[in-house]
Amino acid sequence: MTRGTTGAEVAPEAQEGWRGWREATQEALYGSGGFYRTAPEGPAGHFRTSVHASPLFAGAVARLLCRVDAALGRPDPLAFVDMAAGRGELVSGVLAALPAAVSARTRAYAVEVAGRPEGLDHRIEWRAEPPHGVTGLLFANEWLDNVPVDVAEVDAAGLARRVLVRGDGTERLGGPPTGAEAAWLARWWPLAGEEGLRAEIGLPRDAAWASAVSSLDAGLAVAADYGHTAAARPPFGTLTGFRAGRETRPVPDGSCDITAHVALDAVAAAHAERCAPGHTPPPALTRPQREVLRALGVTGARPPLALASSDPAAYVRALANASRAAELLAPGGLGDFGWLLQPVGAVDAAALLVDVADDEEQ
């Protein structure tokens, strides 16, 4: 060990540019020259999310907000918090899709590390952190997969060790995980002794989610992400990069997005375990996106052929909407996203997914 300028000990691997994936990703994505702070085109220029695929997604989230509003007794104000808001596409779409009576009571917040885009609706409050003490819906679309995590890999002796990385993406194995990281692996993603098996240590995501949920006084928090549970962990992990619309090797130099799928069961448990002793929070739900969106009115059904004769323009619009809906619902694609619905207070997450004829406030 040597000492840095602050007097703190510096490990030999750090002197040589080796760091854990969590530290390297944090700087690459959120540092002063990081991907999410400097990319002028925003995330939409590098990967396609449900938000960018179709305005039907924002419409479905708006319907969910209306259902949360009704379950809460129509509070004033009603909060909509868009975590990892990108350039404000989702929050703008939700505001546009809300019925006038709900929109008039809604306070919209966009939470993002990048600066506020020009021309954004003046009703949207742009923040670096979620507001606290609000009532309504907090929605995190592809946020948790970008919360940096460390990676563990099994070596030739069958021991799980932390994966270290340099700025060019070169990897090597370091020491074994210890403390809370080792405990998290043992509980949520135990690695068998086969060489090469990998796991992403989701402890920072659990903490980030529990903190975000705690910002609500009452309502619903939703995380929508590619994810997995203990019954089907990916054996070699999921760490990857995206650049200009293509999947690429993850390189922590600020030039690409770095992402990994989310252990949704661990994330869900984190909020419950943070609650005060003796307080049992309402049950959370984890459902595939296609199931949730269908319950929120996104069906993908083709319009009746008779409409082509009676109203050709309406038929073409309906056909386009069906195509967009199909992308949002597709197995093997966006439809496989997991939605974690975590209620706060007297909200029944399952009841929110019961299909109703009219979500608009009369």
Side-chain angles (χ1 to χ4, degrees), residues 13-29:
E13 57 264 25
Q15 298 176 57
E16 299 168 5
W18 296 103
R19 297 181 290 177
W21 267 106
R22 181 186 180 188
E23 180 185 352
T25 302
Q26 182 68 35
E27 182 175 337
L29 296 184

Side-chain angles (χ1 to χ4, degrees), residues 35 39-48 242-247 255-257:
F35 176 82
E41 67 282 4
H46 294 271
F47 51 88
R48 184 175 175 82
F242 283 92
R243 181 188 296 115
R246 295 182 178 275
E247 189 169 2
S255 68
C256 67
D257 181 35

